[in-house]
Amino acid sequence: MKKVLGMGAALVDILANVSDEWIKAQGVEKGGMNAVDWPQMNRFLMGLQNPMRVPGGSTCNTMVGLSRLGGRACFISKVGDDDLGRLFKQHLINNGVESKMGHSTAPTGCVFSAVTPDAERSMWTFLGASDFLASKDFVPSLFDDVSLLYAEGYRAFNGDCFKTSFTLARSLGVETALDFSSFNVVNICRETIDDLLDKKMIDIIIANEDEAFAYAGVKEEAALEVLAKKAKIAVVKIGKKGALIAQDGKVTHVEAKMVKAVDTTGAGDLWASGFLYGYLNGWDMERTGNLASLVASEVVQVMGAQIPDAGWARIKAAM
């Protein structure tokens, strides 16, 4: 199995439990991602007591999960020369993810995940050093022994770099996958995403039901049909009802694993880990989707996006 190159923001996740009333008071839509500057982020952090701090970011979580499953993963982003940056790089080493990290004079980025009692998370993101990943950082040698480029939709805010990475991957015969990441990303970065889709630069699209609706204007099977016309494989995750996967005109429905969720942070990221592992090993979509659901079911049972060793042991036993 060749490597997957993950492109995303290098962020330290900061998690805290909040009420639905607290979310309403922020004047944002629940479940979304909101970009903030450092003064805004600092105001949030100053009001928290004993929050959980875990290195992460969407694509990083996916690459860690892929590595823990036995796949080969590497990750490109940027961090600052600070304690959070060092914490992040050590996190990659600890989880067997090859580092393609660069450095910036900006501080390392972070994301505040506010978790409501229904286990839904709303996010505020300060990209920090990650925002300085640039087109010039993508060179052909970066793709040596890489079979697939995987990117989070959040990277589409830097349109030039985003397009460069997919265009270079395609020119080198590397497959590509995009997770839409947030309905906000779809709404704001639609032109950039459509440009790549129209040029057939994206092979795999992964979206949850909100993201799929934001793109297609319809839900579930109808949204899948729209996305399936844009890529070789399209996925629409439909919460407790599982996921729909379209490939070569065939639709596969995968059931979700029923567990008690305490925090949905990382659920989509780890779902992608299982999906990529199965796909790159040549599994059919039913087996691939079932592994994805299993991995996601483990992460929602804990706070944060890191599955404990006991969880990975259960996954490996089931595999």
Side-chain angles (χ1 to χ4, degrees):
M1 177 180 173
K2 288 188 175 182
K3 293 184 288 189
V4 175
L5 173 63
M7 175 179 68
L11 304 170
V12 175
D13 292 330
I14 300 169
L15 300 105
N17 293 306
V18 302
S19 65
D20 286 312
E21 290 72 25
W22 188 91
I23 297 291
K24 290 178 182 178
Q26 308 312 308
V28 299
E29 189 171 354
K30 182 178 175 181
M33 187 282 289
N34 309 278
V36 296
D37 57 18
W38 178 246
Q40 290 174 297
M41 176 61 75
N42 198 39
R43 283 196 291 273
F44 281 132
L45 302 186
M46 293 295 288
L48 300 177
Q49 293 186 0
N50 301 316
M52 181 183 296
R53 289 179 168 85
V54 183
S58 179
T59 295
C60 177
N61 293 336
T62 300
M63 293 302 101
V64 166
L66 179 61
S67 177
R68 293 297 299 264
L69 285 169
R72 298 175 64 201
C74 51
F75 181 69
I76 181 170
S77 190
K78 288 190 176 182
V79 293
D81 183 17
D82 50 30
D83 289 342
L84 289 182
R86 287 181 280 277
L87 175 67
F88 190 94
K89 289 193 291 184
Q90 187 62 47
H91 175 67
L92 295 181
I93 294 171
N94 293 346
N95 287 283
V97 177
E98 182 183 349
S99 174
K100 302 287 187 179
M101 301 297 292
H103 291 89
S104 169
T105 55
T108 300
C110 56
V111 53
F112 171 44
S113 290
V115 183
T116 43
D118 61 357
E120 182 65 272
R121 88 281 185 265
S122 303
M123 297 181 293
W124 285 263
T125 301
F126 166 64
L127 290 172
S130 292
D131 211 24
F132 293 88
L133 185 67
S135 296
K136 63 181 177 62
D137 295 310
F138 286 85
V139 294
S141 61
L142 184 65
F143 290 89
D144 288 349
D145 202 27
V146 169
S147 64
L148 185 141
L149 169 69
Y150 174 86
E152 61 193 55
Y154 302 126
R155 293 287 77 202
F157 286 106
N158 185 339
D160 289 341
C161 180
F162 190 68
K163 290 179 181 180
T164 295
S165 64
F166 278 87
T167 302
L168 179 58
R170 173 63 79 243
S171 72
L172 296 171
V174 173
E175 285 192 285
T176 59
L178 172 66
D179 190 308
F180 277 171
S181 299
S182 169
F183 57 81
N184 289 342
V185 168
V186 175
N187 290 332
I188 298 170
C189 302
R190 178 64 179 260
E191 183 177 348
T192 296
I193 293 170
D194 271 340
D195 182 56
L196 288 175
L197 289 172
D198 291 343
K199 293 176 180 175
K200 303 299 182 184
M201 294 287 178
I202 301 174
D203 296 305
I204 302 170
I205 301 171
I206 301 176
N208 67 23
E209 52 192 334
D210 293 333
E211 296 152 10
F213 179 74
Y215 186 87
V218 288
K219 296 184 177 181
E220 299 189 5
E221 289 90 347
L224 183 73
E225 184 177 350
V226 172
L227 295 177
K229 293 177 181 178
K230 300 286 186 176
K232 292 195 302 184
I233 298 176
V235 175
V236 175
K237 295 171 288 182
I238 47 178
K240 294 180 180 179
K241 292 185 286 184
L244 300 167
I245 307 171
Q247 181 186 36
D248 298 329
K250 179 183 178 181
V251 175
T252 301
H253 179 213
V254 179
E255 298 287 344
K257 310 298 181 186
M258 291 296 101
V259 297
K260 181 175 175 53
V262 299
D263 175 22
T264 58
T265 301
D269 307 338
L270 273 297
W271 195 98
S273 298
F275 182 86
L276 293 176
Y277 182 85
Y279 173 71
L280 292 171
N281 278 287
W283 295 3
D284 61 40
M285 288 298 103
E286 182 176 8
R287 186 182 179 193
T288 296
N290 282 328
L291 176 61
S293 294
L294 176 62
V295 178
S297 74
E298 285 289 345
V299 78
V300 300
Q301 296 180 69
V302 298
M303 280 290 288
Q306 305 303 318
I307 297 174
D309 289 343
W312 284 117
R314 286 190 292 270
I315 291 168
K316 291 294 183 66
M319 290 170 66

